[in-house]
Amino acid sequence: MEVYTDQSLDTLFAVMRKDSVDTSTMEEHFETRLMAKIAELRERPTAWFMSVWRMIPGFAVLTALIAVCSITFVETHPDDLFAAITTGQEDLMARSFLSGE
């Protein structure tokens, strides 16, 4: 087992700092490769679950519209049993009064 001292580590780091990495081959035509990869990703068919994610804002608007309409256009029924007789809704009011709805 070999034990490294601080001086040998400093020497090793100094040698590695002097050695530069040649990245010119990786830099060559980088933009062309990047644009080709982007074009390839765009040509792939969209998965069905991605289409669902894109439709979420539309579903949210539709849900909000239904909620607003259901709150706004609620028919109010009088609690008086005799009001049903005068408005012609005897059966409906009698059933709702007796059932507690």
Side-chain angles (χ1 to χ4, degrees):
M1 184 167 111
E2 189 174 332
V3 177
Y4 293 103
T5 62
D6 287 340
Q7 184 180 11
S8 62
L9 279 177
D10 290 338
T11 308
L12 179 64
F13 288 145
V15 169
M16 292 309 294
R17 278 189 214 107
K18 289 179 186 175
D19 187 25
S20 64
V21 178
D22 183 25
T23 60
S24 61
T25 55
M26 291 189 309
E27 294 171 5
E28 202 171 293
H29 305 291
F30 173 73
E31 292 87 5
T32 307
R33 291 192 312 268
L34 179 65
M35 294 306 291
K37 182 68 174 175
I38 291 172
E40 177 187 335
L41 290 175
R42 285 186 179 173
E43 289 177 1
R44 289 185 188 169
T46 306
W48 65 271
F49 53 86
M50 290 304 295
S51 299
V52 171
W53 277 107
R54 290 181 183 161
M55 293 189 313
I56 283 178
F59 288 138
V61 169
L62 183 64
T63 304
L65 184 64
I66 290 171
V68 167
C69 288
S70 67
I71 292 170
T72 305
F73 301 115
V74 172
E75 255 186 72
T76 57
H77 299 290
D79 292 333
D80 185 17
L81 183 58
F82 293 106
I85 297 170
T86 59
T87 59
Q89 300 175 351
E90 297 89 3
D91 292 336
L92 174 67
M93 286 304 292
R95 268 188 260 133
S96 65
F97 183 77
L98 294 173
S99 66
E101 293 179 8

